Amino acid sequence: MNINTHKVIFRLSALGDVVLTTGVIEYWAQTKGFTFTVITKTANAPVLENNPHITNVIGLKQKDLGDMAWMRKAGKIAAEYKGCELIDLHATLRSKILSARWKGKVTSYKKYSLERRLFKITGSARLQSQLESIRVTQRYAAAIEDRQISSSELLPRIYLAEDEMNLARSIMDEHNLNENFVALHPYATHPDKAWPRKYWRALTEGLDRHDIKWAIIGRDDNIFEASGHECNFTNQLQLRETCALLQKAKYLVTGDSGPMHLASAVGTPVIALFGPTSKAWGFYPAGSDDVVLESALDCRPCSLHGKSNCKKNRQCLREITPDMVLDHIIS
């Protein structure tokens, strides 16, 4: 390990946040020749597998993240990577504890927390424009870059293995899915981020009318049932299997979710439905064929992460109609 070119990246949090780090990893590897160790939660580690620029993933379990346990773990990691630069792409108390114990250079990214909260409160058009112009991948890159890197140069990337791609082809053959099938992700971590299920049913009916194959992906305790369609893979696929199937899809339709970033990372265009959250938070797809559909309600955004107590019965999402989504698919 060359301590001058090997960097340690810290990013826990949600799956999509970790997927987005792969864009800057790819950029820094290509432009600077860096290699990486990534510190993240064990559940997020699969998206980093097979990445030629990542030599090690330190997966953290919940037992590692308790106060005293993390102090000890942080000390061990700091000692092991003495002299390497730590790039903090999380900027939380845990990463600050690690930074305090680090035996080398530490850099951190700007989260724009104050600007985001001010925009949530004020709805300022100026703040909205500023925040939307700097995607999270660009904020990550700014940790060590002197200039703003184009988001098109920071697209996330998941490296799939040949056997994973073969499995996806087998699934498609078994379920008679052609290369134009549309993947649907009707689930959300927080209920107020979920497009109404009757809209999802209307969309599947519209796809059927146009003879467009579709398949449901994702995980949820409340499985979405749509006319007994046989291509419902809810809770059936592992994370990387889902990525492989997404790579074969023509589009993914989803809310503001982790699978939105998984699809981007395997090169599949996304039609994303944003309700209580906002493009201003920076976590929106950056591909040339990606589409974000959102309403212009004054109460938006009402949440940083999707946890809201909506008094309008999710009007923001109900204003995005199935026909609007279908139009983007068939256009």
Side-chain angles (χ1 to χ4, degrees):
M1 180 179 65
N2 184 333
I3 63 172
N4 295 315
T5 59
H6 190 79
K7 309 297 177 181
V8 179
I9 288 178
F10 183 94
R11 179 76 224 202
L12 303 184
S13 197
L15 173 65
D17 305 336
V18 177
V19 173
L20 290 175
T21 67
T22 64
V24 293
I25 286 171
E26 189 79 15
Y27 179 80
W28 287 333
Q30 297 294 341
T31 61
K32 303 179 186 300
F34 291 166
T35 58
F36 300 90
T37 290
V38 180
I39 305 170
T40 189
K41 290 184 178 179
T42 301
N44 298 328
V47 298
L48 305 174
E49 291 177 11
N50 295 333
N51 191 308
H53 314 303
I54 298 174
T55 62
N56 189 32
V57 176
I58 299 175
L60 301 177
K61 298 180 180 180
Q62 198 58 42
K63 66 179 183 180
D64 297 317
L65 298 173
D67 293 344
M68 292 308 299
W70 178 236
M71 287 290 291
R72 291 191 294 270
K73 186 76 171 181
K76 290 179 180 178
I77 296 172
E80 181 178 356
Y81 288 92
K82 181 179 180 180
C84 292
E85 180 177 5
L86 172 65
I87 305 176
D88 177 8
L89 299 184
H90 203 158
T92 59
L93 177 58
R94 287 193 182 102
S95 64
K96 292 183 187 303
I97 289 172
L98 180 61
S99 298
R101 306 207 65 180
W102 201 254
K103 304 177 188 301
K105 183 179 181 180
V106 176
T107 52
S108 182
Y109 94 113
K110 182 179 179 181
K111 297 178 73 169
Y112 289 85
S113 297
L114 177 60
E115 290 88 344
R116 288 190 297 170
R117 283 168 171 77
L118 285 174
F119 170 61
K120 180 176 178 292
I121 295 169
T122 66
S124 163
R126 181 185 63 80
L127 280 174
Q128 180 178 9
S129 177
Q130 175 191 1
L131 289 167
E132 288 186 3
S133 69
I134 312 173
R135 287 180 168 92
V136 166
T137 51
Q138 294 172 292
R139 300 173 195 179
Y140 286 168
I144 66 171
E145 298 288 346
D146 295 328
R147 63 181 181 88
Q148 182 170 310
I149 309 302
S150 168
S151 59
S152 64
E153 298 183 79
L154 301 170
L155 298 177
R157 183 168 182 185
I158 291 173
Y159 285 83
L160 294 170
E162 185 64 31
D163 62 333
E164 293 166 336
M165 292 185 284
N166 288 338
L167 175 62
R169 284 190 284 268
S170 297
I171 291 173
M172 290 176 65
D173 290 342
E174 180 181 350
H175 295 275
N176 195 29
L177 291 172
N178 57 36
E179 62 184 9
N180 291 318
F181 87 92
V182 175
L184 308 177
H185 177 252
Y187 307 117
T189 305
H190 306 299
D192 285 333
K193 292 173 69 174
W195 205 38
R197 290 209 165 183
K198 66 178 182 179
Y199 282 23
W200 285 107
R201 292 189 181 92
L203 176 60
T204 60
E205 291 167 1
L207 292 171
D208 287 341
R209 286 195 304 272
H210 287 83
D211 198 27
I212 298 172
K213 298 288 187 178
W214 49 272
I216 298 170
I217 58 99
R219 307 192 73 82
D220 201 89
D221 292 335
N222 183 16
I223 298 175
F224 174 70
E225 301 290 351
S227 304
H229 198 285
E230 63 177 359
C231 293
N232 191 337
F233 301 114
T234 304
N235 300 333
Q236 295 183 29
L237 301 177
Q238 298 299 315
L239 180 56
R240 292 187 64 85
E241 294 171 346
T242 297
C243 293
L245 188 62
L246 283 174
Q247 187 189 52
K248 302 297 183 183
K250 184 175 182 180
Y251 293 103
L252 168 68
V253 183
T254 180
D256 178 6
S257 67
M260 174 178 71
H261 301 298
L262 295 177
S264 294
V266 294
T268 296
V270 174
I271 301 173
L273 319 174
F274 276 42
T277 56
S278 170
K279 288 170 63 177
W281 303 161
F283 296 91
Y284 63 101
S288 59
D289 296 321
D290 294 334
V291 175
V292 175
L293 298 179
E294 53 186 344
S295 60
L297 294 178
D298 291 341
C299 56
R300 289 189 65 246
C302 63
S303 171
L304 287 173
H305 304 291
K307 295 180 181 179
S308 66
N309 295 308
C310 181
K311 304 297 192 298
K312 296 185 177 181
N313 192 26
R314 292 183 289 171
Q315 183 181 347
C316 57
L317 285 165
R318 288 187 291 109
E319 289 194 357
I320 305 170
T321 68
D323 283 343
M324 291 167 62
V325 177
L326 189 62
D327 285 346
H328 281 283
I329 293 173
I330 64 178
S331 61

